[in-house]
Protein backbone atom coordinates (compact mmCIF):
# COMPACT_ATOMS: atom_id res chain seq x y z
CA UNK A 1 0.00 0.00 0.00
CA UNK A 2 3.10 2.27 -0.21
CA UNK A 3 2.43 3.49 3.32
CA UNK A 4 -0.50 5.76 2.41
CA UNK A 5 -3.32 6.45 4.83
CA UNK A 6 -6.30 8.74 4.44
CA UNK A 7 -8.53 10.26 7.09
CA UNK A 8 -11.35 10.28 7.63
CA UNK A 9 -12.40 7.22 5.65
CA UNK A 10 -16.05 8.25 5.64
CA UNK A 11 -17.65 11.63 6.24
CA UNK A 12 -21.11 13.10 5.95
CA UNK A 13 -21.33 16.87 6.02
CA UNK A 14 -23.81 19.59 5.25
CA UNK A 15 -23.76 21.97 2.31
CA UNK A 16 -21.75 25.08 3.06
CA UNK A 17 -19.49 23.60 5.72
CA UNK A 18 -15.71 23.42 5.33
CA UNK A 19 -14.15 19.97 5.10
CA UNK A 20 -10.50 18.89 5.20
CA UNK A 21 -9.29 15.51 4.08
CA UNK A 22 -5.86 14.30 5.06
CA UNK A 23 -3.42 12.11 3.19
CA UNK A 24 -0.41 10.80 5.09
CA UNK A 25 2.53 8.84 3.69
CA UNK A 26 5.45 7.32 5.51
CA UNK A 27 7.99 6.78 2.73
CA UNK A 28 9.16 10.31 1.95
CA UNK A 29 7.76 10.49 -1.58
CA UNK A 30 7.96 13.91 -3.23
CA UNK A 31 5.01 13.61 -5.57
CA UNK A 32 1.49 13.45 -4.15
CA UNK A 33 -1.92 13.76 -5.78
CA UNK A 34 -5.61 14.11 -5.00
CA UNK A 35 -8.21 12.53 -7.29
CA UNK A 36 -11.95 12.18 -7.14
CA UNK A 37 -13.87 9.21 -8.48
CA UNK A 38 -17.41 9.49 -9.78
CA UNK A 39 -19.49 7.01 -11.78
CA UNK A 40 -18.93 7.43 -15.50
CA UNK A 41 -15.83 9.61 -15.07
CA UNK A 42 -13.10 7.32 -13.85
CA UNK A 43 -10.68 9.24 -11.65
CA UNK A 44 -9.99 12.92 -12.20
CA UNK A 45 -7.06 14.90 -10.89
CA UNK A 46 -7.93 17.70 -8.45
CA UNK A 47 -4.55 18.99 -7.25
CA UNK A 48 -1.01 17.72 -7.07
CA UNK A 49 2.22 18.47 -5.25
CA UNK A 50 5.85 18.06 -6.18
CA UNK A 51 7.16 18.87 -2.73
CA UNK A 52 6.67 20.96 0.37
CA UNK A 53 4.80 24.17 -0.50
CA UNK A 54 4.88 23.21 -4.20
CA UNK A 55 1.32 22.54 -5.38
CA UNK A 56 -0.67 23.07 -8.54
CA UNK A 57 -4.14 22.62 -9.97
CA UNK A 58 -5.42 19.61 -11.82
CA UNK A 59 -8.37 19.32 -14.18
CA UNK A 60 -11.18 19.68 -11.60
CA UNK A 61 -9.73 22.07 -9.01
CA UNK A 62 -12.62 24.54 -8.66
CA UNK A 63 -13.93 24.56 -5.09
CA UNK A 64 -10.85 22.82 -3.70
CA UNK A 65 -7.60 23.97 -2.16
CA UNK A 66 -4.58 22.05 -0.92
CA UNK A 67 -1.66 22.49 1.39
CA UNK A 68 1.58 20.66 1.94
CA UNK A 69 3.62 21.97 4.82
CA UNK A 70 5.38 18.64 5.48
CA UNK A 71 6.54 15.98 3.06
CA UNK A 72 4.35 13.34 4.64
CA UNK A 73 1.03 15.21 4.67
CA UNK A 74 -1.08 16.51 1.80
CA UNK A 75 -4.35 18.16 2.83
CA UNK A 76 -7.37 18.72 0.61
CA UNK A 77 -9.87 21.37 1.72
CA UNK A 78 -13.36 22.03 0.48
CA UNK A 79 -13.90 25.60 1.61
CA UNK A 80 -17.69 25.39 1.39
CA UNK A 81 -18.90 21.92 0.49
CA UNK A 82 -21.54 21.47 -2.20
CA UNK A 83 -23.58 18.42 -3.17
CA UNK A 84 -21.59 18.15 -6.41
CA UNK A 85 -18.54 17.37 -4.28
CA UNK A 86 -20.10 14.15 -3.02
CA UNK A 87 -17.56 11.64 -4.24
CA UNK A 88 -14.85 9.19 -3.33
CA UNK A 89 -11.51 10.92 -2.90
CA UNK A 90 -8.23 9.13 -3.45
CA UNK A 91 -4.78 10.28 -2.56
CA UNK A 92 -1.81 8.92 -4.50
CA UNK A 93 1.98 9.03 -4.51
CA UNK A 94 4.48 8.46 -7.29
CA UNK A 95 7.25 6.07 -6.49
CA UNK A 96 10.35 5.96 -8.64
CA UNK A 97 11.21 2.71 -10.38
CA UNK A 98 13.66 1.72 -13.11
CA UNK A 99 12.87 3.81 -16.18
CA UNK A 100 10.07 5.86 -14.68
CA UNK A 101 7.54 6.01 -11.89
CA UNK A 102 4.59 4.03 -10.56
CA UNK A 103 1.61 5.62 -8.89
CA UNK A 104 0.05 4.07 -5.80
CA UNK A 105 -3.28 4.94 -4.26
CA UNK A 106 -4.52 5.30 -0.72
CA UNK A 107 -7.64 3.55 0.57
CA UNK A 108 -9.99 6.45 -0.27
CA UNK A 109 -12.38 8.75 1.60
CA UNK A 110 -16.09 8.56 0.89
CA UNK A 111 -17.57 12.04 1.30
CA UNK A 112 -21.27 12.74 1.25
CA UNK A 113 -22.52 16.33 1.20
CA UNK A 114 -26.19 16.64 2.15
CA UNK B 1 -6.61 18.36 -23.68
CA UNK B 2 -5.77 14.70 -23.28
CA UNK B 3 -8.74 12.36 -23.69
CA UNK B 4 -8.62 8.68 -22.82
CA UNK B 5 -11.28 6.30 -24.10
CA UNK B 6 -11.75 2.76 -22.93
CA UNK B 7 -13.95 0.19 -24.51
CA UNK B 8 -15.98 -1.66 -23.83
CA UNK B 9 -17.41 -0.01 -20.73
CA UNK B 10 -19.08 -3.24 -19.64
CA UNK B 11 -18.01 -6.76 -20.46
CA UNK B 12 -19.56 -10.07 -19.46
CA UNK B 13 -17.44 -13.05 -20.29
CA UNK B 14 -17.78 -16.74 -19.79
CA UNK B 15 -15.08 -18.49 -17.86
CA UNK B 16 -12.40 -19.89 -20.09
CA UNK B 17 -12.86 -17.34 -22.88
CA UNK B 18 -10.40 -14.73 -24.12
CA UNK B 19 -11.08 -11.06 -24.54
CA UNK B 20 -9.36 -7.69 -24.98
CA UNK B 21 -9.98 -4.29 -23.42
CA UNK B 22 -8.89 -1.29 -25.48
CA UNK B 23 -7.54 2.05 -24.34
CA UNK B 24 -7.17 4.87 -26.87
CA UNK B 25 -5.76 8.28 -26.08
CA UNK B 26 -5.68 11.53 -27.95
CA UNK B 27 -2.22 13.09 -27.53
CA UNK B 28 1.35 11.91 -27.46
CA UNK B 29 2.46 9.94 -24.44
CA UNK B 30 4.92 7.11 -24.10
CA UNK B 31 3.79 5.82 -20.71
CA UNK B 32 0.59 4.18 -19.57
CA UNK B 33 -0.59 2.33 -16.48
CA UNK B 34 -3.28 -0.29 -15.93
CA UNK B 35 -5.15 -0.63 -12.63
CA UNK B 36 -7.69 -2.98 -11.17
CA UNK B 37 -10.41 -1.90 -8.74
CA UNK B 38 -12.69 -4.20 -6.75
CA UNK B 39 -16.02 -2.81 -5.51
CA UNK B 40 -15.55 -0.44 -2.60
CA UNK B 41 -11.77 -0.75 -2.74
CA UNK B 42 -8.84 1.31 -3.88
CA UNK B 43 -6.91 0.92 -7.12
CA UNK B 44 -4.33 -1.81 -7.46
CA UNK B 45 -1.48 -1.33 -9.90
CA UNK B 46 -1.33 -4.06 -12.55
CA UNK B 47 1.08 -2.90 -15.24
CA UNK B 48 3.43 -0.02 -15.92
CA UNK B 49 4.16 0.39 -19.65
CA UNK B 50 7.08 2.74 -20.19
CA UNK B 51 7.81 2.73 -23.91
CA UNK B 52 6.50 1.97 -27.35
CA UNK B 53 6.15 -1.77 -27.91
CA UNK B 54 6.18 -2.55 -24.18
CA UNK B 55 4.48 -5.81 -23.31
CA UNK B 56 3.92 -7.05 -19.77
CA UNK B 57 2.28 -10.26 -18.59
CA UNK B 58 1.08 -11.41 -15.21
CA UNK B 59 -0.88 -14.63 -14.98
CA UNK B 60 -3.87 -14.46 -17.33
CA UNK B 61 -3.42 -10.76 -18.07
CA UNK B 62 -1.20 -9.23 -20.71
CA UNK B 63 -0.85 -5.53 -21.50
CA UNK B 64 0.77 -3.84 -24.46
CA UNK B 65 1.43 -0.29 -25.61
CA UNK B 66 1.61 1.13 -29.15
CA UNK B 67 2.50 4.79 -28.78
CA UNK B 68 2.32 5.46 -32.51
CA UNK B 69 -1.29 4.29 -32.64
CA UNK B 70 -1.94 5.81 -29.17
CA UNK B 71 -3.41 2.48 -28.14
CA UNK B 72 -2.97 0.10 -25.25
CA UNK B 73 -4.63 -3.27 -24.86
CA UNK B 74 -5.29 -5.48 -21.86
CA UNK B 75 -5.78 -9.06 -22.95
CA UNK B 76 -7.44 -11.63 -20.74
CA UNK B 77 -6.70 -15.27 -21.43
CA UNK B 78 -8.96 -18.10 -20.24
CA UNK B 79 -10.90 -15.90 -17.85
CA UNK B 80 -11.60 -17.05 -14.31
CA UNK B 81 -14.11 -15.67 -11.83
CA UNK B 82 -11.56 -13.87 -9.66
CA UNK B 83 -10.72 -11.55 -12.56
CA UNK B 84 -14.11 -9.90 -12.17
CA UNK B 85 -13.38 -6.24 -11.37
CA UNK B 86 -13.22 -2.81 -12.98
CA UNK B 87 -10.09 -2.13 -15.01
CA UNK B 88 -8.73 1.33 -15.70
CA UNK B 89 -6.04 2.58 -18.01
CA UNK B 90 -4.28 5.83 -17.16
CA UNK B 91 -2.09 7.85 -19.50
CA UNK B 92 0.90 9.71 -18.07
CA UNK B 93 1.44 13.33 -19.07
CA UNK B 94 3.35 16.31 -17.81
CA UNK B 95 5.29 15.53 -14.67
CA UNK B 96 3.73 12.23 -13.61
CA UNK B 97 0.12 13.38 -13.87
CA UNK B 98 -2.48 10.80 -14.91
CA UNK B 99 -5.59 11.02 -17.04
CA UNK B 100 -7.81 7.98 -16.58
CA UNK B 101 -10.16 6.16 -18.86
CA UNK B 102 -13.70 5.69 -17.60
CA UNK B 103 -13.06 2.05 -16.76
CA UNK B 104 -14.24 -1.34 -17.99
CA UNK B 105 -16.44 -3.32 -15.64
CA UNK B 106 -15.63 -6.96 -16.24
CA UNK B 107 -17.92 -9.75 -15.04
CA UNK B 108 -16.86 -13.36 -15.47
CA UNK B 109 -19.78 -15.76 -15.68
CA UNK B 110 -19.31 -19.41 -14.69
Amino acid sequence: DAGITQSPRHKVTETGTPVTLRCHQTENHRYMYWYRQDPGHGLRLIHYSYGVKDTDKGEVSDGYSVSRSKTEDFLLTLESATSSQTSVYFCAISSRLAGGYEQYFGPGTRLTVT
Amino acid sequence: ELKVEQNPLFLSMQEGKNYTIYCNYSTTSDRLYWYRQDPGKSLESLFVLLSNGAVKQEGRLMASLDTKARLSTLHITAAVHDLSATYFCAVVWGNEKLTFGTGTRLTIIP
Side-chain angles (χ1 to χ4, degrees):
Chain A
D1 63 1
I4 307 168
T5 57
Q6 292 184 231
S7 59
R9 295 292 313 280
H10 301 271
K11 186 170 183 66
V12 180
T13 192
E14 292 184 349
T15 298
T17 59
V19 176
T20 295
L21 309 182
R22 181 183 184 231
C23 177
H24 179 78
Q25 53 116 345
T26 58
E27 299 180 2
N28 209 36
H29 297 290
R30 274 186 59 201
Y31 296 178
M32 298 185 75
Y33 310 81
W34 277 106
Y35 294 88
R36 61 178 288 174
Q37 184 175 28
D38 305 290
H41 288 281
L43 278 78
R44 292 179 291 173
L45 182 64
I46 305 171
H47 280 278
Y48 56 96
S49 170
Y50 293 149
V52 172
K53 292 185 170 42
D54 184 3
T55 65
D56 208 343
K57 296 178 180 180
E59 61 178 306
V60 290
S61 60
D62 287 349
Y64 302 95
S65 62
V66 290
S67 66
R68 193 163 177 206
S69 58
K70 300 186 288 185
T71 299
E72 59 266 34
D73 288 324
F74 192 28
L75 304 181
L76 177 71
T77 297
L78 292 65
E79 302 290 349
S80 176
T82 67
S83 58
S84 65
Q85 294 175 312
T86 292
S87 188
V88 180
Y89 291 87
F90 288 100
C91 173
I93 60 92
S94 274
S95 176
R96 194 166 184 90
L97 48 76
Y101 289 83
E102 187 165 5
Q103 208 161 114
Y104 295 96
F105 287 80
T109 294
R110 184 173 295 275
L111 176 68
T112 302
V113 183
T114 61
Chain B
E1 179 188 349
L2 173 60
K3 293 194 184 302
V4 181
E5 290 187 358
Q6 268 183 255
N7 64 83
L9 298 184
F10 300 94
L11 177 57
S12 287
M13 296 174 58
Q14 281 192 312
E15 279 190 327
K17 299 291 187 183
N18 304 334
Y19 210 80
T20 301
I21 298 170
Y22 297 89
C23 176
N24 292 271
Y25 55 97
S26 61
T27 63
T28 301
S29 173
D30 59 0
R31 289 174 294 146
L32 186 143
Y33 304 155
W34 283 95
Y35 291 91
R36 168 184 172 141
Q37 186 179 37
D38 293 302
K41 303 293 187 182
S42 185
L43 280 76
E44 173 191 352
S45 178
L46 292 175
F47 298 110
V48 174
L49 303 172
L50 297 177
S51 61
N52 186 42
V55 177
K56 297 273 186 78
Q57 182 162 6
E58 181 73 34
R60 300 175 188 273
L61 300 178
M62 183 174 71
S64 65
L65 178 61
D66 181 342
T67 59
K68 291 182 173 55
R70 297 176 186 165
L71 170 69
S72 181
T73 60
L74 179 67
H75 187 71
I76 302 147
T77 301
V80 293
H81 183 260
D82 64 6
L83 291 179
S84 295
T86 299
Y87 293 85
F88 292 94
C89 64
V91 177
V92 185
W93 60 279
N95 201 351
E96 294 307 310
K97 296 186 283 287
L98 301 184
T99 294
F100 281 80
T102 50
T104 296
R105 185 179 295 179
L106 175 63
T107 303
I108 309 296
I109 304 165

